Amino acid sequence: MARKKLFSVENLTLIAIGAGIAFGYFFPALSTELKAVGDIYLKLLKMLIIPLVFASIFIAIASLSGKEELKSIGVKAFLYYLSTTALAVLLGIVIFHLINPGSGEHLLQIPQNVTIEKKELSLSDFLLSFIPANIFEALSKGAILPIIFFTILFAVAALFIQQTKRTVLYNFFDSINDAMMVLARWVIALTPIGVFFLIAATVAKNGLEPIFELYSYVLTVLLALMFHALVTLPSIGYFVGRFNPYRYFLQIKEAPLIAFSTASSSATLPVSLEVAEEKGGVSKKVAGFVLPLGATINMDGTALYESIAVLFIANISGVELSLAQQITIFITVTFASIGAAGIPGAGLIMMTMVLDSVGLPVEAIALIITVDRFLDMFRTAVNNWGDLLGAKLIQKVL
Ligand code: ASP
């Protein structure tokens, strides 16, 4: 038994992360060569996403006892997403001012010769992007937000059809869900191998040096992420949900570890569903609703990271931001994190919007891009932990 625990997927994954860093650092060429092994694992995870999103949301909604319960879960989930994201941005701003990284360092010239595509997001575009004109196109493209939108409507519509027909649909999607979960377990068993090669290739590509060059910025982001993950979120679990958040974390830790290794909330979704239901004691009904939605729109780590990154860029370019500008940052970062896709580097792309909102040149991103992948791993783990904590919390307060 003890031996089995020692060689659990979680422990082997932890070892794989450490070994992957060392391997990538000392054997960069070989690590790049073997990147395909990590990519196979990533593709296998991604392969599970769409059927799982569709089936899990459908059965979550179809198993609700009525419209009231749907409203209750929906309202609570949105309240949780929004309040924790706002807390994360606020924490980022406060910790930034406490540490003040980048001040006193010589001012950096914003590079003129790089072109970074600016992301513009108007409210109408944002709302329109939810609605799929063609659900099969959305499914084939893996556009998660429109798929979620359609599935919620479809599942709610199913609540209005004849009971016997609804049961047919329910059993169909429930069977798909169960089979996908079995598949997920098979893929999860490959995690240590996949993670080893993914991390090695990442270290080989980015190196570790930029981390030391931008150490004050990196440390500020890491400290704030740690605080959010270890203090803010657990406090909400403890005081509002009345459960032990740290014990729960130990039960579901495989998902944040995979989020860390893949830097993708979406790719981690199959694992999140599996661990929440099988190990964390969250019902299919709550997990199926809260986790797919959370993986797409609830990104505390990204929100926190973006607020610090924008303030840091202002600092090293010698720009003094007014209080009004900081409030603008607070608001735009919240929306940027909601709009960011659950894929590597999405947070950085959305940040162009935030920089633009306070008149900082988007090219300034070039100043921090070298450490983005490294920080992406940590912020994605926090994004994932936020979703999983939310699922347990909503389960408890329902
Ligand atoms: N990689 C993050 C995620 O998948 C998004 C980001 O770039 O911040 O959650």
Side-chain angles (χ1 to χ4, degrees), residues 47-211:
M47 177 182 85
L48 309 174
I49 301 171
I50 303 298
L52 259 181
V53 167
F54 209 88
S56 64
I57 295 187
F58 184 87
I59 57 173
I61 294 181
S63 58
L64 296 175
S65 56
K67 275 186 283 186
E68 278 314 303
E69 212 185 354
L70 175 63
K71 215 166 103 190
S72 171
I73 293 196
V75 169
K76 282 174 185 146
F78 277 101
L79 256 178
Y80 172 81
Y81 296 153
L82 216 60
S83 53
T84 50
T85 302
L87 276 174
V89 182
L90 205 63
L91 180 71
I93 296 179
V94 170
I95 293 198
F96 180 86
H97 285 297
L98 286 178
I99 300 178
N100 209 3
S103 72
E105 286 172 26
H106 58 274
L107 298 187
L108 291 181
Q109 284 296 316
I110 290 171
Q112 300 296 328
N113 53 351
V114 279
T115 39
I116 288 173
E117 206 189 320
K118 196 161 26 171
K119 184 93 186 164
E120 306 229 18
L121 199 65
S122 70
L123 191 62
S124 58
D125 283 350
F126 182 60
L127 293 177
L128 277 173
S129 70
F130 278 55
I131 308 173
N134 174 350
I135 184 61
F136 294 101
E137 189 193 351
L139 288 170
S140 69
K141 281 190 175 156
I144 304 215
L145 224 45
I147 295 174
I148 292 180
F149 180 83
F150 175 82
T151 314
I152 291 178
L153 286 184
F154 178 62
V156 172
L159 294 175
F160 291 88
I161 65 174
Q162 248 179 35
Q163 172 74 39
T164 43
K165 292 185 177 170
R166 181 158 80 238
T167 311
V168 174
L169 273 181
Y170 183 86
N171 288 340
F172 175 69
F173 284 114
D174 197 35
S175 310
I176 291 187
N177 193 62
D178 286 358
M180 292 307 298
M181 282 301 196
V182 175
L183 248 179
R185 250 167 265 146
W186 292 347
V187 177
I188 289 171
L190 303 174
T191 299
I193 303 171
V195 160
F196 174 83
F197 288 104
L198 279 177
I199 298 259
T202 305
V203 172
K205 183 168 175 220
N206 301 291
L208 295 174
E209 292 75 18
I211 299 169

Side-chain angles (χ1 to χ4, degrees), residues 263-266 299 302 340-348 376 379-380 383:
S264 169
S265 294
S266 300
M299 298 197 179
T302 300
I343 53 173
L348 194 74
D376 198 0
R379 67 185 189 248
T380 309
N383 290 345

Side-chain angles (χ1 to χ4, degrees), residues 255 265 268-277 287 291 384 388:
S265 294
T268 313
L269 181 60
V271 187
S272 307
L273 285 164
E274 213 267 343
V275 291
E277 290 169 20
L291 292 175
N384 179 261
L388 280 155

Side-chain angles (χ1 to χ4, degrees), residues 119 121 126 302 306 332 335-341 345-355 365:
K119 184 93 186 164
L121 199 65
F126 182 60
T302 300
E306 287 187 355
T332 44
F335 284 103
S337 76
I338 294 174
L348 194 74
I349 298 169
M350 292 308 282
M351 221 175 72
T352 53
M353 190 179 93
V354 186
L355 288 169
I365 280 187

